[in-house]
Amino acid sequence: MKRGDICIALLLLAVAAAVLLLRPQGKPVVYVNGQRITASTEINGVVIELQNGKARVQSSPCRDQICVHAGWLERPGDVAVCLPQRVSVEIRSGKSAIDAVAY
Amino acid sequence: MKQGQKRLRLWAAIAGVLVIAAVLLYSLAPRQVTQTDFDMGSVRRLTVWRSGNLRLAPLPSYEAQAAAQPPPPPVEALIAATGGAFDPYIGALVALWNIDSKDGSPPRVPAQAEIDAALQERALDPGAYGKGLACDFVLQALGGDRRIRGGVLDLGGNILTFGSKPFGAPFKVALRDPLGGANDTLGVFTLEGTHFLSTSGSYEKYFTQGGVRYHHIFDPKTGYPAARDPGLCSVTVLSDSGALGDALSTACFVLGYAQAGGLPWNDRGALFLYEDGSIKALGDIEQMFTITNEKYHWVSE
Ligand SMILES: [Zn+2]
């Protein structure tokens, strides 16, 4: 093989490696009721705060406050659900290892 | 033609084939679509892997349909098989304790005479199998669509998996830690194909009176919250039927580990979780479940 061949082969390998490695690595994304959000928001009276890729229910008019007590959500799969106000907040990632949580 | 040019053409052809192959692989691989909504007071989340540009239509209220039906025959048969430890006709008792406090009034411990009277009534309460039956309906509705390769349904913590994920990857379903916080898990199921996971636990709904905790799963024999297996925290049943699996998780919780082992056990298995972190397995479930939380450990009997 000539030097040129080796160069091209390495180039192809590099491109393949780049495609594999630079695939969207599943940065944590916040979803509210199935919709992606990128900033703090309010829905059905539930105030959702976003900060440095983390999210939490800051306040809710519901009686049980279960959603507020869920605290900061940061790992993919973390959820806070407010059944009375019909709001779910969840962290997802394109490469999350977990498909669902049973309870 | 020069030797170098030939080589260059060869390499260009190889690169071209590789690019076309990559684009084909990417466009043909099933895409993941997730839909979240609320139905009958619980959150419902459906993820499917589908080919083509199928959009998910919102699912109808299968829970309402399930609640409006009499129990399916396998669930009805469980009443006799458990010697009455499982009984969906305790609606009057459930209403009497009022642990849901649906009408806004607080739950309370009823007087014995009230409990005795409520146990005489036969009112259907679909709570013990309704969500599982709704999972069965979803599977019927989606199972016929050939564009859907596989999916995961989360119906208020009842999980249905069906079909397969891209490249044959197994489904990974974590189990929430009943002794931990809202986002703590204790282990993970690795599943392939169609499975239902249903959990009945004393930690979900309860109230405290006079320092005693009263949970929402009743023993039809006593009219009180089930307490045959001391320290039992929750039971998770792995089944091939949603309705039966859901009913079995309630039946197992009431019966406790020792008595549940005597059931005509034709399902895949059950995990019994205790307050001290011990886990007992029934049936064929141990190899599908990995403990990931150091608070918990297997105990064999
Ligand atoms: Zn809430």
Side-chain angles (χ1 to χ4, degrees):
Chain A
M1 264 216 279
K2 282 191 177 172
R3 194 186 288 170
D5 288 344
I6 296 168
C7 281
I8 296 170
L10 284 178
L11 196 73
L12 276 181
L13 271 176
V15 169
V19 167
L20 276 177
L21 290 175
L22 296 180
R23 266 185 318 179
Q25 267 302 313
K27 253 177 74 183
V29 188
V30 183
Y31 282 81
V32 171
N33 287 6
Q35 303 290 314
R36 187 178 172 172
I37 62 161
T38 51
S40 297
T41 183
E42 193 209 301
I43 178 166
N44 298 349
V46 176
V47 179
I48 296 144
E49 184 187 357
L50 244 70
Q51 206 185 82
N52 308 326
K54 297 187 296 180
R56 69 164 174 171
V57 175
Q58 195 179 43
S59 67
S60 163
C62 64
R63 201 173 40 143
D64 53 31
Q65 298 286 300
I66 290 171
C67 50
V68 177
H69 291 145
W72 284 105
L73 316 174
E74 37 194 328
R75 294 161 300 177
D78 283 0
V79 289
V81 175
C82 186
L83 286 178
Q85 306 302 120
R86 301 170 66 87
V87 173
S88 82
V89 185
E90 57 184 305
I91 308 275
R92 276 188 224 161
S93 128
K95 287 184 79 71
S96 171
I98 297 297
D99 295 307
V101 179
Y103 56 91
Chain B
M1 209 191 291
K2 273 192 199 165
Q3 191 79 359
Q5 260 179 336
K6 251 191 190 169
R7 279 232 168 84
L8 207 61
R9 277 195 187 177
L10 187 66
W11 280 112
I14 292 173
V17 167
L18 282 178
V19 166
I20 290 167
V23 167
L24 267 179
L25 208 67
Y26 184 71
S27 58
L28 291 182
R31 304 295 174 82
Q32 182 179 336
V33 208
T34 299
Q35 171 180 293
T36 307
D37 56 53
F38 290 81
D39 186 36
M40 300 274 288
S42 62
V43 63
R44 183 164 69 178
R45 184 162 165 247
L46 174 66
T47 299
V48 300
W49 286 270
R50 55 106 174 96
S51 54
N53 263 331
L54 171 74
R55 300 206 69 145
L56 274 181
L59 294 172
S61 181
Y62 287 121
E63 284 192 278
Q65 280 181 38
Q69 284 190 7
V75 173
E76 196 82 49
L78 207 56
I79 301 172
T82 59
F86 170 80
D87 190 347
Y89 294 96
I90 55 165
L93 185 73
V94 172
L96 177 64
W97 280 83
N98 192 31
I99 290 190
D100 278 335
S101 61
K102 275 186 183 139
D103 57 356
S105 65
R108 63 180 177 90
V109 181
Q112 190 60 47
E114 292 177 293
I115 290 177
D116 292 340
L119 283 175
Q120 294 306 311
E121 283 181 50
R122 304 287 293 164
L124 181 63
D125 172 39
Y129 64 88
K131 281 196 179 125
L133 186 55
C135 287
D136 289 333
F137 291 157
V138 174
L139 184 58
Q140 279 167 24
L142 299 179
D145 193 328
R146 302 190 82 190
R147 293 167 298 181
I148 296 177
R149 306 291 178 79
V152 180
L153 171 72
D154 173 354
L155 219 165
N158 291 264
I159 308 294
L160 154 70
T161 68
F162 62 95
S164 62
K165 276 164 69 172
F167 309 109
F171 297 106
K172 296 274 188 183
V173 181
L175 183 60
R176 185 178 288 173
D177 175 6
L179 309 174
N183 283 307
D184 292 334
T185 59
L186 72 94
V188 63
F189 289 95
T190 304
L191 305 170
E192 284 177 38
T194 304
H195 296 274
F196 295 90
L197 280 168
S198 180
T199 301
S200 289
S202 57
Y203 57 91
E204 298 163 71
K205 292 179 208 156
Y206 61 86
F207 72 100
T208 312
Q209 184 176 317
V212 184
R213 223 169 102 153
Y214 297 92
H215 63 77
H216 76 295
I217 304 171
F218 296 103
D219 188 332
K221 290 286 174 228
T222 62
Y224 268 77
R228 295 192 196 181
D229 195 347
L232 181 60
C233 207
S234 73
V235 180
T236 299
V237 168
L238 184 69
S239 172
D240 60 357
S241 151
L244 182 59
D246 199 357
L248 269 171
S249 72
T250 305
C252 286
F253 188 89
V254 173
L255 286 167
Y257 183 80
Q259 290 181 38
L263 277 178
W265 195 263
N266 54 5
D267 248 299
R268 286 166 196 172
L271 290 181
F272 290 68
L273 261 65
Y274 292 82
E275 280 163 7
D276 64 355
S278 56
I279 302 179
K280 294 177 188 172
L282 210 58
D284 216 14
I285 201 170
E286 240 172 301
Q287 67 221 33
M288 289 180 258
F289 186 73
T290 312
I291 298 174
T292 56
N293 185 323
E294 57 199 14
K295 268 192 298 192
Y296 292 88
H297 54 275
W298 294 110
V299 172
S300 49
E301 248 183 45

